[in-house]
Amino acid sequence: MADLVITAASVKPVGSTAQTKLVQVGEAVAQGEAVFLDTSDNKHYKADADLSLMAAKAIGVSLTPAATDGYCLVQIGGNVNLGATLVKGELYCVSATGGAIAPFADLVSGDWITFLGVASSASELILKPEYRNVQI
């Protein structure tokens, strides 16, 4: 498999359990991209599994696009439609491509593991970001 092909316009929270947060970004972010907090400037950037432990620690998925130094709404929990075709029961993680989301099986040696959630259907992810400070 490969990184999810996300249709940005289709990314949206599902149901009333969605937890969201407004954040400032340090680079342009598109809908459906995983983001992390960089503690050096308190801005959010595209999460990346092979960049560093900090960069792998995604807090959630962007629901809105934002330009550099702008603001976006990030879903940090609950069900989300990623605008992509998922495999029910599959675990999805931060990818080694900045902002991208990939199946857990796609991670390789050197990647930091951050689970974003599990697919509850072909279109919905139960979003619950979790990192364990473990590198493959």
Side-chain angles (χ1 to χ4, degrees), residues 107-133:
L107 297 183
V108 298
S109 180
D111 290 346
W112 291 95
I113 301 170
T114 299
F115 294 111
L116 291 172
V118 63
S120 60
S121 71
S123 61
E124 288 183 27
L125 184 75
I126 301 170
L127 183 65
K128 186 177 179 184
E130 185 178 325
Y131 53 89
R132 298 291 181 137
N133 296 338

mmCIF file with all atom_site columns, all heavy atoms in Angstrom, residues 107-133:
data_model
loop_
_atom_site.group_PDB
_atom_site.id
_atom_site.type_symbol
_atom_site.label_atom_id
_atom_site.label_alt_id
_atom_site.label_comp_id
_atom_site.label_asym_id
_atom_site.label_entity_id
_atom_site.label_seq_id
_atom_site.pdbx_PDB_ins_code
_atom_site.Cartn_x
_atom_site.Cartn_y
_atom_site.Cartn_z
_atom_site.occupancy
_atom_site.B_iso_or_equiv
_atom_site.pdbx_formal_charge
_atom_site.auth_seq_id
_atom_site.auth_comp_id
_atom_site.auth_asym_id
_atom_site.auth_atom_id
_atom_site.pdbx_PDB_model_num
ATOM 1   N N   . LEU A 1 107 ? 5.367   1.575  7.350  1.00 0.00 ? 107 LEU A N   1
ATOM 2   C CA  . LEU A 1 107 ? 6.511   2.167  8.043  1.00 0.00 ? 107 LEU A CA  1
ATOM 3   C C   . LEU A 1 107 ? 7.725   1.253  7.895  1.00 0.00 ? 107 LEU A C   1
ATOM 4   O O   . LEU A 1 107 ? 7.598   0.040  7.822  1.00 0.00 ? 107 LEU A O   1
ATOM 5   C CB  . LEU A 1 107 ? 6.182   2.393  9.518  1.00 0.00 ? 107 LEU A CB  1
ATOM 6   C CG  . LEU A 1 107 ? 5.043   3.371  9.807  1.00 0.00 ? 107 LEU A CG  1
ATOM 7   C CD1 . LEU A 1 107 ? 4.879   3.542  11.314 1.00 0.00 ? 107 LEU A CD1 1
ATOM 8   C CD2 . LEU A 1 107 ? 5.253   4.701  9.128  1.00 0.00 ? 107 LEU A CD2 1
ATOM 9   N N   . VAL A 1 108 ? 8.905   1.881  7.852  1.00 0.00 ? 108 VAL A N   1
ATOM 10  C CA  . VAL A 1 108 ? 10.150  1.133  7.657  1.00 0.00 ? 108 VAL A CA  1
ATOM 11  C C   . VAL A 1 108 ? 11.161  1.504  8.740  1.00 0.00 ? 108 VAL A C   1
ATOM 12  O O   . VAL A 1 108 ? 10.925  2.416  9.532  1.00 0.00 ? 108 VAL A O   1
ATOM 13  C CB  . VAL A 1 108 ? 10.752  1.398  6.253  1.00 0.00 ? 108 VAL A CB  1
ATOM 14  C CG1 . VAL A 1 108 ? 9.809   0.929  5.153  1.00 0.00 ? 108 VAL A CG1 1
ATOM 15  C CG2 . VAL A 1 108 ? 11.085  2.865  6.076  1.00 0.00 ? 108 VAL A CG2 1
ATOM 16  N N   . SER A 1 109 ? 12.284  0.830  8.738  1.00 0.00 ? 109 SER A N   1
ATOM 17  C CA  . SER A 1 109 ? 13.336  1.081  9.709  1.00 0.00 ? 109 SER A CA  1
ATOM 18  C C   . SER A 1 109 ? 13.685  2.567  9.756  1.00 0.00 ? 109 SER A C   1
ATOM 19  O O   . SER A 1 109 ? 13.878  3.204  8.718  1.00 0.00 ? 109 SER A O   1
ATOM 20  C CB  . SER A 1 109 ? 14.571  0.262  9.342  1.00 0.00 ? 109 SER A CB  1
ATOM 21  O OG  . SER A 1 109 ? 15.598  0.492  10.268 1.00 0.00 ? 109 SER A OG  1
ATOM 22  N N   . GLY A 1 110 ? 13.742  3.106  10.966 1.00 0.00 ? 110 GLY A N   1
ATOM 23  C CA  . GLY A 1 110 ? 14.067  4.516  11.148 1.00 0.00 ? 110 GLY A CA  1
ATOM 24  C C   . GLY A 1 110 ? 12.850  5.403  11.355 1.00 0.00 ? 110 GLY A C   1
ATOM 25  O O   . GLY A 1 110 ? 12.973  6.543  11.792 1.00 0.00 ? 110 GLY A O   1
ATOM 26  N N   . ASP A 1 111 ? 11.658  4.902  11.042 1.00 0.00 ? 111 ASP A N   1
ATOM 27  C CA  . ASP A 1 111 ? 10.433  5.687  11.220 1.00 0.00 ? 111 ASP A CA  1
ATOM 28  C C   . ASP A 1 111 ? 9.986   5.641  12.678 1.00 0.00 ? 111 ASP A C   1
ATOM 29  O O   . ASP A 1 111 ? 10.024  4.589  13.317 1.00 0.00 ? 111 ASP A O   1
ATOM 30  C CB  . ASP A 1 111 ? 9.288   5.147  10.348 1.00 0.00 ? 111 ASP A CB  1
ATOM 31  C CG  . ASP A 1 111 ? 9.505   5.390  8.865  1.00 0.00 ? 111 ASP A CG  1
ATOM 32  O OD1 . ASP A 1 111 ? 10.389  6.202  8.504  1.00 0.00 ? 111 ASP A OD1 1
ATOM 33  O OD2 . ASP A 1 111 ? 8.786   4.779  8.066  1.00 0.00 ? 111 ASP A OD2 1
ATOM 34  N N   . TRP A 1 112 ? 9.522   6.787  13.192 1.00 0.00 ? 112 TRP A N   1
ATOM 35  C CA  . TRP A 1 112 ? 8.920   6.870  14.519 1.00 0.00 ? 112 TRP A CA  1
ATOM 36  C C   . TRP A 1 112 ? 7.447   6.541  14.379 1.00 0.00 ? 112 TRP A C   1
ATOM 37  O O   . TRP A 1 112 ? 6.790   6.983  13.444 1.00 0.00 ? 112 TRP A O   1
ATOM 38  C CB  . TRP A 1 112 ? 9.095   8.263  15.107 1.00 0.00 ? 112 TRP A CB  1
ATOM 39  C CG  . TRP A 1 112 ? 10.516  8.585  15.447 1.00 0.00 ? 112 TRP A CG  1
ATOM 40  C CD1 . TRP A 1 112 ? 11.415  9.245  14.660 1.00 0.00 ? 112 TRP A CD1 1
ATOM 41  C CD2 . TRP A 1 112 ? 11.207  8.237  16.632 1.00 0.00 ? 112 TRP A CD2 1
ATOM 42  N NE1 . TRP A 1 112 ? 12.629  9.329  15.289 1.00 0.00 ? 112 TRP A NE1 1
ATOM 43  C CE2 . TRP A 1 112 ? 12.525  8.724  16.508 1.00 0.00 ? 112 TRP A CE2 1
ATOM 44  C CE3 . TRP A 1 112 ? 10.840  7.568  17.805 1.00 0.00 ? 112 TRP A CE3 1
ATOM 45  C CZ2 . TRP A 1 112 ? 13.473  8.556  17.508 1.00 0.00 ? 112 TRP A CZ2 1
ATOM 46  C CZ3 . TRP A 1 112 ? 11.786  7.412  18.801 1.00 0.00 ? 112 TRP A CZ3 1
ATOM 47  C CH2 . TRP A 1 112 ? 13.099  7.903  18.645 1.00 0.00 ? 112 TRP A CH2 1
ATOM 48  N N   . ILE A 1 113 ? 6.908   5.766  15.324 1.00 0.00 ? 113 ILE A N   1
ATOM 49  C CA  . ILE A 1 113 ? 5.521   5.312  15.230 1.00 0.00 ? 113 ILE A CA  1
ATOM 50  C C   . ILE A 1 113 ? 4.581   6.263  15.961 1.00 0.00 ? 113 ILE A C   1
ATOM 51  O O   . ILE A 1 113 ? 4.733   6.490  17.168 1.00 0.00 ? 113 ILE A O   1
ATOM 52  C CB  . ILE A 1 113 ? 5.357   3.905  15.833 1.00 0.00 ? 113 ILE A CB  1
ATOM 53  C CG1 . ILE A 1 113 ? 6.260   2.909  15.108 1.00 0.00 ? 113 ILE A CG1 1
ATOM 54  C CG2 . ILE A 1 113 ? 3.892   3.468  15.768 1.00 0.00 ? 113 ILE A CG2 1
ATOM 55  C CD1 . ILE A 1 113 ? 6.336   1.557  15.791 1.00 0.00 ? 113 ILE A CD1 1
ATOM 56  N N   . THR A 1 114 ? 3.628   6.812  15.223 1.00 0.00 ? 114 THR A N   1
ATOM 57  C CA  . THR A 1 114 ? 2.508   7.548  15.804 1.00 0.00 ? 114 THR A CA  1
ATOM 58  C C   . THR A 1 114 ? 1.244   7.023  15.156 1.00 0.00 ? 114 THR A C   1
ATOM 59  O O   . THR A 1 114 ? 1.026   7.224  13.953 1.00 0.00 ? 114 THR A O   1
ATOM 60  C CB  . THR A 1 114 ? 2.611   9.068  15.578 1.00 0.00 ? 114 THR A CB  1
ATOM 61  O OG1 . THR A 1 114 ? 3.798   9.555  16.187 1.00 0.00 ? 114 THR A OG1 1
ATOM 62  C CG2 . THR A 1 114 ? 1.398   9.776  16.185 1.00 0.00 ? 114 THR A CG2 1
ATOM 63  N N   . PHE A 1 115 ? 0.440   6.324  15.939 1.00 0.00 ? 115 PHE A N   1
ATOM 64  C CA  . PHE A 1 115 ? -0.840  5.839  15.440 1.00 0.00 ? 115 PHE A CA  1
ATOM 65  C C   . PHE A 1 115 ? -1.811  7.012  15.393 1.00 0.00 ? 115 PHE A C   1
ATOM 66  O O   . PHE A 1 115 ? -1.924  7.768  16.367 1.00 0.00 ? 115 PHE A O   1
ATOM 67  C CB  . PHE A 1 115 ? -1.409  4.743  16.352 1.00 0.00 ? 115 PHE A CB  1
ATOM 68  C CG  . PHE A 1 115 ? -0.592  3.496  16.371 1.00 0.00 ? 115 PHE A CG  1
ATOM 69  C CD1 . PHE A 1 115 ? 0.118   3.135  17.499 1.00 0.00 ? 115 PHE A CD1 1
ATOM 70  C CD2 . PHE A 1 115 ? -0.537  2.674  15.258 1.00 0.00 ? 115 PHE A CD2 1
ATOM 71  C CE1 . PHE A 1 115 ? 0.886   1.975  17.514 1.00 0.00 ? 115 PHE A CE1 1
ATOM 72  C CE2 . PHE A 1 115 ? 0.216   1.515  15.260 1.00 0.00 ? 115 PHE A CE2 1
ATOM 73  C CZ  . PHE A 1 115 ? 0.931   1.171  16.389 1.00 0.00 ? 115 PHE A CZ  1
ATOM 74  N N   . LEU A 1 116 ? -2.493  7.178  14.279 1.00 0.00 ? 116 LEU A N   1
ATOM 75  C CA  . LEU A 1 116 ? -3.529  8.212  14.179 1.00 0.00 ? 116 LEU A CA  1
ATOM 76  C C   . LEU A 1 116 ? -4.895  7.634  14.493 1.00 0.00 ? 116 LEU A C   1
ATOM 77  O O   . LEU A 1 116 ? -5.755  8.321  15.036 1.00 0.00 ? 116 LEU A O   1
ATOM 78  C CB  . LEU A 1 116 ? -3.518  8.843  12.789 1.00 0.00 ? 116 LEU A CB  1
ATOM 79  C CG  . LEU A 1 116 ? -2.292  9.692  12.499 1.00 0.00 ? 116 LEU A CG  1
ATOM 80  C CD1 . LEU A 1 116 ? -2.261  10.118 11.048 1.00 0.00 ? 116 LEU A CD1 1
ATOM 81  C CD2 . LEU A 1 116 ? -2.262  10.907 13.419 1.00 0.00 ? 116 LEU A CD2 1
ATOM 82  N N   . GLY A 1 117 ? -5.110  6.372  14.137 1.00 0.00 ? 117 GLY A N   1
ATOM 83  C CA  . GLY A 1 117 ? -6.386  5.743  14.432 1.00 0.00 ? 117 GLY A CA  1
ATOM 84  C C   . GLY A 1 117 ? -6.595  4.486  13.628 1.00 0.00 ? 117 GLY A C   1
ATOM 85  O O   . GLY A 1 117 ? -5.712  4.017  12.911 1.00 0.00 ? 117 GLY A O   1
ATOM 86  N N   . VAL A 1 118 ? -7.813  3.959  13.756 1.00 0.00 ? 118 VAL A N   1
ATOM 87  C CA  . VAL A 1 118 ? -8.194  2.736  13.051 1.00 0.00 ? 118 VAL A CA  1
ATOM 88  C C   . VAL A 1 118 ? -9.415  3.037  12.192 1.00 0.00 ? 118 VAL A C   1
ATOM 89  O O   . VAL A 1 118 ? -10.285 3.818  12.587 1.00 0.00 ? 118 VAL A O   1
ATOM 90  C CB  . VAL A 1 118 ? -8.467  1.579  14.050 1.00 0.00 ? 118 VAL A CB  1
ATOM 91  C CG1 . VAL A 1 118 ? -9.641  1.890  14.960 1.00 0.00 ? 118 VAL A CG1 1
ATOM 92  C CG2 . VAL A 1 118 ? -8.669  0.269  13.326 1.00 0.00 ? 118 VAL A CG2 1
ATOM 93  N N   . ALA A 1 119 ? -9.457  2.434  11.016 1.00 0.00 ? 119 ALA A N   1
ATOM 94  C CA  . ALA A 1 119 ? -10.585 2.646  10.103 1.00 0.00 ? 119 ALA A CA  1
ATOM 95  C C   . ALA A 1 119 ? -11.793 1.860  10.598 1.00 0.00 ? 119 ALA A C   1
ATOM 96  O O   . ALA A 1 119 ? -11.714 0.655  10.810 1.00 0.00 ? 119 ALA A O   1
ATOM 97  C CB  . ALA A 1 119 ? -10.219 2.212  8.692  1.00 0.00 ? 119 ALA A CB  1
ATOM 98  N N   . SER A 1 120 ? -12.915 2.562  10.760 1.00 0.00 ? 120 SER A N   1
ATOM 99  C CA  . SER A 1 120 ? -14.156 1.905  11.178 1.00 0.00 ? 120 SER A CA  1
ATOM 100 C C   . SER A 1 120 ? -15.011 1.543  9.967  1.00 0.00 ? 120 SER A C   1
ATOM 101 O O   . SER A 1 120 ? -15.979 0.815  10.082 1.00 0.00 ? 120 SER A O   1
ATOM 102 C CB  . SER A 1 120 ? -14.949 2.801  12.129 1.00 0.00 ? 120 SER A CB  1
ATOM 103 O OG  . SER A 1 120 ? -15.282 4.016  11.493 1.00 0.00 ? 120 SER A OG  1
ATOM 104 N N   . SER A 1 121 ? -14.626 2.076  8.798  1.00 0.00 ? 121 SER A N   1
ATOM 105 C CA  . SER A 1 121 ? -15.313 1.774  7.542  1.00 0.00 ? 121 SER A CA  1
ATOM 106 C C   . SER A 1 121 ? -14.367 2.152  6.407  1.00 0.00 ? 121 SER A C   1
ATOM 107 O O   . SER A 1 121 ? -13.226 2.545  6.654  1.00 0.00 ? 121 SER A O   1
ATOM 108 C CB  . SER A 1 121 ? -16.622 2.574  7.426  1.00 0.00 ? 121 SER A CB  1
ATOM 109 O OG  . SER A 1 121 ? -16.342 3.943  7.210  1.00 0.00 ? 121 SER A OG  1
ATOM 110 N N   . ALA A 1 122 ? -14.843 2.068  5.185  1.00 0.00 ? 122 ALA A N   1
ATOM 111 C CA  . ALA A 1 122 ? -14.008 2.415  4.025  1.00 0.00 ? 122 ALA A CA  1
ATOM 112 C C   . ALA A 1 122 ? -13.803 3.921  3.899  1.00 0.00 ? 122 ALA A C   1
ATOM 113 O O   . ALA A 1 122 ? -12.993 4.367  3.088  1.00 0.00 ? 122 ALA A O   1
ATOM 114 C CB  . ALA A 1 122 ? -14.633 1.865  2.749  1.00 0.00 ? 122 ALA A CB  1
ATOM 115 N N   . SER A 1 123 ? -14.510 4.718  4.717  1.00 0.00 ? 123 SER A N   1
ATOM 116 C CA  . SER A 1 123 ? -14.373 6.168  4.606  1.00 0.00 ? 123 SER A CA  1
ATOM 117 C C   . SER A 1 123 ? -14.084 6.873  5.924  1.00 0.00 ? 123 SER A C   1
ATOM 118 O O   . SER A 1 123 ? -13.698 8.039  5.919  1.00 0.00 ? 123 SER A O   1
ATOM 119 C CB  . SER A 1 123 ? -15.638 6.772  3.989  1.00 0.00 ? 123 SER A CB  1
ATOM 120 O OG  . SER A 1 123 ? -16.752 6.491  4.811  1.00 0.00 ? 123 SER A OG  1
ATOM 121 N N   . GLU A 1 124 ? -14.246 6.190  7.059  1.00 0.00 ? 124 GLU A N   1
ATOM 122 C CA  . GLU A 1 124 ? -14.086 6.859  8.353  1.00 0.00 ? 124 GLU A CA  1
ATOM 123 C C   . GLU A 1 124 ? -12.941 6.291  9.179  1.00 0.00 ? 124 GLU A C   1
ATOM 124 O O   . GLU A 1 124 ? -12.742 5.081  9.243  1.00 0.00 ? 124 GLU A O   1
ATOM 125 C CB  . GLU A 1 124 ? -15.363 6.751  9.181  1.00 0.00 ? 124 GLU A CB  1
ATOM 126 C CG  . GLU A 1 124 ? -16.485 7.598  8.670  1.00 0.00 ? 124 GLU A CG  1
ATOM 127 C CD  . GLU A 1 124 ? -17.711 7.522  9.572  1.00 0.00 ? 124 GLU A CD  1
ATOM 128 O OE1 . GLU A 1 124 ? -17.577 7.260  10.787 1.00 0.00 ? 124 GLU A OE1 1
ATOM 129 O OE2 . GLU A 1 124 ? -18.814 7.709  9.031  1.00 0.00 ? 124 GLU A OE2 1
ATOM 130 N N   . LEU A 1 125 ? -12.241 7.204  9.837  1.00 0.00 ? 125 LEU A N   1
ATOM 131 C CA  . LEU A 1 125 ? -11.161 6.848  10.750 1.00 0.00 ? 125 LEU A CA  1
ATOM 132 C C   . LEU A 1 125 ? -11.577 7.253  12.155 1.00 0.00 ? 125 LEU A C   1
ATOM 133 O O   . LEU A 1 125 ? -12.066 8.371  12.362 1.00 0.00 ? 125 LEU A O   1
ATOM 134 C CB  . LEU A 1 125 ? -9.878  7.589  10.369 1.00 0.00 ? 125 LEU A CB  1
ATOM 135 C CG  . LEU A 1 125 ? -8.628  7.250  11.179 1.00 0.00 ? 125 LEU A CG  1
ATOM 136 C CD1 . LEU A 1 125 ? -8.089  5.889  10.755 1.00 0.00 ? 125 LEU A CD1 1
ATOM 137 C CD2 . LEU A 1 125 ? -7.560  8.314  10.985 1.00 0.00 ? 125 LEU A CD2 1
ATOM 138 N N   . ILE A 1 126 ? -11.414 6.337  13.111 1.00 0.00 ? 126 ILE A N   1
ATOM 139 C CA  . ILE A 1 126 ? -11.612 6.695  14.513 1.00 0.00 ? 126 ILE A CA  1
ATOM 140 C C   . ILE A 1 126 ? -10.290 7.332  14.943 1.00 0.00 ? 126 ILE A C   1
ATOM 141 O O   . ILE A 1 126 ? -9.296  6.642  15.175 1.00 0.00 ? 126 ILE A O   1
ATOM 142 C CB  . ILE A 1 126 ? -11.945 5.473  15.385 1.00 0.00 ? 126 ILE A CB  1
ATOM 143 C CG1 . ILE A 1 126 ? -13.206 4.789  14.875 1.00 0.00 ? 126 ILE A CG1 1
ATOM 144 C CG2 . ILE A 1 126 ? -12.094 5.894  16.842 1.00 0.00 ? 126 ILE A CG2 1
ATOM 145 C CD1 . ILE A 1 126 ? -13.466 3.440  15.525 1.00 0.00 ? 126 ILE A CD1 1
ATOM 146 N N   . LEU A 1 127 ? -10.266 8.652  14.994 1.00 0.00 ? 127 LEU A N   1
ATOM 147 C CA  . LEU A 1 127 ? -9.046  9.412  15.239 1.00 0.00 ? 127 LEU A CA  1
ATOM 148 C C   . LEU A 1 127 ? -8.732  9.474  16.730 1.00 0.00 ? 127 LEU A C   1
ATOM 149 O O   . LEU A 1 127 ? -9.536  9.956  17.526 1.00 0.00 ? 127 LEU A O   1
ATOM 150 C CB  . LEU A 1 127 ? -9.210  10.828 14.675 1.00 0.00 ? 127 LEU A CB  1
ATOM 151 C CG  . LEU A 1 127 ? -8.016  11.751 14.776 1.00 0.00 ? 127 LEU A CG  1
ATOM 152 C CD1 . LEU A 1 127 ? -6.865  11.229 13.913 1.00 0.00 ? 127 LEU A CD1 1
ATOM 153 C CD2 . LEU A 1 127 ? -8.405  13.158 14.332 1.00 0.00 ? 127 LEU A CD2 1
ATOM 154 N N   . LYS A 1 128 ? -7.555  8.968  17.084 1.00 0.00 ? 128 LYS A N   1
ATOM 155 C CA  . LYS A 1 128 ? -7.082  9.014  18.465 1.00 0.00 ? 128 LYS A CA  1
ATOM 156 C C   . LYS A 1 128 ? -5.549  8.937  18.408 1.00 0.00 ? 128 LYS A C   1
ATOM 157 O O   . LYS A 1 128 ? -4.946  7.883  18.607 1.00 0.00 ? 128 LYS A O   1
ATOM 158 C CB  . LYS A 1 128 ? -7.644  7.853  19.283 1.00 0.00 ? 128 LYS A CB  1
ATOM 159 C CG  . LYS A 1 128 ? -7.295  7.957  20.755 1.00 0.00 ? 128 LYS A CG  1
ATOM 160 C CD  . LYS A 1 128 ? -7.918  6.835  21.551 1.00 0.00 ? 128 LYS A CD  1
ATOM 161 C CE  . LYS A 1 128 ? -7.501  6.995  23.006 1.00 0.00 ? 128 LYS A CE  1
ATOM 162 N NZ  . LYS A 1 128 ? -7.991  5.890  23.826 1.00 0.00 ? 128 LYS A NZ  1
ATOM 163 N N   . PRO A 1 129 ? -4.892  10.070 18.099 1.00 0.00 ? 129 PRO A N   1
ATOM 164 C CA  . PRO A 1 129 ? -3.438  10.070 17.967 1.00 0.00 ? 129 PRO A CA  1
ATOM 165 C C   . PRO A 1 129 ? -2.741  9.539  19.216 1.00 0.00 ? 129 PRO A C   1
ATOM 166 O O   . PRO A 1 129 ? -3.106  9.878  20.338 1.00 0.00 ? 129 PRO A O   1
ATOM 167 C CB  . PRO A 1 129 ? -3.098  11.539 17.734 1.00 0.00 ? 129 PRO A CB  1
ATOM 168 C CG  . PRO A 1 129 ? -4.346  12.136 17.186 1.00 0.00 ? 129 PRO A CG  1
ATOM 169 C CD  . PRO A 1 129 ? -5.472  11.388 17.855 1.00 0.00 ? 129 PRO A CD  1
ATOM 170 N N   . GLU A 1 130 ? -1.762  8.669  18.980 1.00 0.00 ? 130 GLU A N   1
ATOM 171 C CA  . GLU A 1 130 ? -1.039  8.052  20.090 1.00 0.00 ? 130 GLU A CA  1
ATOM 172 C C   . GLU A 1 130 ? 0.391   7.733  19.645 1.00 0.00 ? 130 GLU A C   1
ATOM 173 O O   . GLU A 1 130 ? 0.601   7.036  18.661 1.00 0.00 ? 130 GLU A O   1
ATOM 174 C CB  . GLU A 1 130 ? -1.761  6.760  20.487 1.00 0.00 ? 130 GLU A CB  1
ATOM 175 C CG  . GLU A 1 130 ? -1.193  6.075  21.680 1.00 0.00 ? 130 GLU A CG  1
ATOM 176 C CD  . GLU A 1 130 ? -1.976  4.838  22.045 1.00 0.00 ? 130 GLU A CD  1
ATOM 177 O OE1 . GLU A 1 130 ? -3.211  4.814  21.877 1.00 0.00 ? 130 GLU A OE1 1
ATOM 178 O OE2 . GLU A 1 130 ? -1.332  3.878  22.493 1.00 0.00 ? 130 GLU A OE2 1
ATOM 179 N N   . TYR A 1 131 ? 1.358   8.240  20.372 1.00 0.00 ? 131 TYR A N   1
ATOM 180 C CA  . TYR A 1 131 ? 2.754   7.922  20.075 1.00 0.00 ? 131 TYR A CA  1
ATOM 181 C C   . TYR A 1 131 ? 3.370   7.234  21.277 1.00 0.00 ? 131 TYR A C   1
ATOM 182 O O   . TYR A 1 131 ? 2.935   7.407  22.397 1.00 0.00 ? 131 TYR A O   1
ATOM 183 C CB  . TYR A 1 131 ? 3.548   9.174  19.697 1.00 0.00 ? 131 TYR A CB  1
ATOM 184 C CG  . TYR A 1 131 ? 3.451   10.296 20.690 1.00 0.00 ? 131 TYR A CG  1
ATOM 185 C CD1 . TYR A 1 131 ? 4.342   10.378 21.742 1.00 0.00 ? 131 TYR A CD1 1
ATOM 186 C CD2 . TYR A 1 131 ? 2.474   11.269 20.579 1.00 0.00 ? 131 TYR A CD2 1
ATOM 187 C CE1 . TYR A 1 131 ? 4.267   11.395 22.678 1.00 0.00 ? 131 TYR A CE1 1
ATOM 188 C CE2 . TYR A 1 131 ? 2.384   12.297 21.498 1.00 0.00 ? 131 TYR A CE2 1
ATOM 189 C CZ  . TYR A 1 131 ? 3.290   12.356 22.546 1.00 0.00 ? 131 TYR A CZ  1
ATOM 190 O OH  . TYR A 1 131 ? 3.204   13.359 23.457 1.00 0.00 ? 131 TYR A OH  1
ATOM 191 N N   . ARG A 1 132 ? 4.359   6.415  21.014 1.00 0.00 ? 132 ARG A N   1
ATOM 192 C CA  . ARG A 1 132 ? 4.974   5.585  22.063 1.00 0.00 ? 132 ARG A CA  1
ATOM 193 C C   . ARG A 1 132 ? 6.477   5.788  22.197 1.00 0.00 ? 132 ARG A C   1
ATOM 194 O O   . ARG A 1 132 ? 7.122   5.009  22.868 1.00 0.00 ? 132 ARG A O   1
ATOM 195 C CB  . ARG A 1 132 ? 4.684   4.106  21.782 1.00 0.00 ? 132 ARG A CB  1
ATOM 196 C CG  . ARG A 1 132 ? 3.242   3.728  21.785 1.00 0.00 ? 132 ARG A CG  1
ATOM 197 C CD  . ARG A 1 132 ? 2.689   3.808  23.184 1.00 0.00 ? 132 ARG A CD  1
ATOM 198 N NE  . ARG A 1 132 ? 1.302   3.435  23.222 1.00 0.00 ? 132 ARG A NE  1
ATOM 199 C CZ  . ARG A 1 132 ? 0.794   2.667  24.154 1.00 0.00 ? 132 ARG A CZ  1
ATOM 200 N NH1 . ARG A 1 132 ? 1.535   2.207  25.105 1.00 0.00 ? 132 ARG A NH1 1
ATOM 201 N NH2 . ARG A 1 132 ? -0.490  2.401  24.134 1.00 0.00 ? 132 ARG A NH2 1
ATOM 202 N N   . ASN A 1 133 ? 7.029   6.791  21.535 1.00 0.00 ? 133 ASN A N   1
ATOM 203 C CA  . ASN A 1 133 ? 8.479   7.005  21.557 1.00 0.00 ? 133 ASN A CA  1
ATOM 204 C C   . ASN A 1 133 ? 9.236   5.772  21.094 1.00 0.00 ? 133 ASN A C   1
ATOM 205 O O   . ASN A 1 133 ? 10.283  5.432  21.635 1.00 0.00 ? 133 ASN A O   1
ATOM 206 C CB  . ASN A 1 133 ? 8.970   7.432  22.951 1.00 0.00 ? 133 ASN A CB  1
ATOM 207 C CG  . ASN A 1 133 ? 8.403   8.763  23.387 1.00 0.00 ? 133 ASN A CG  1
ATOM 208 O OD1 . ASN A 1 133 ? 7.990   9.563  22.541 1.00 0.00 ? 133 ASN A OD1 1
ATOM 209 N ND2 . ASN A 1 133 ? 8.348   9.002  24.665 1.00 0.00 ? 133 ASN A ND2 1
#
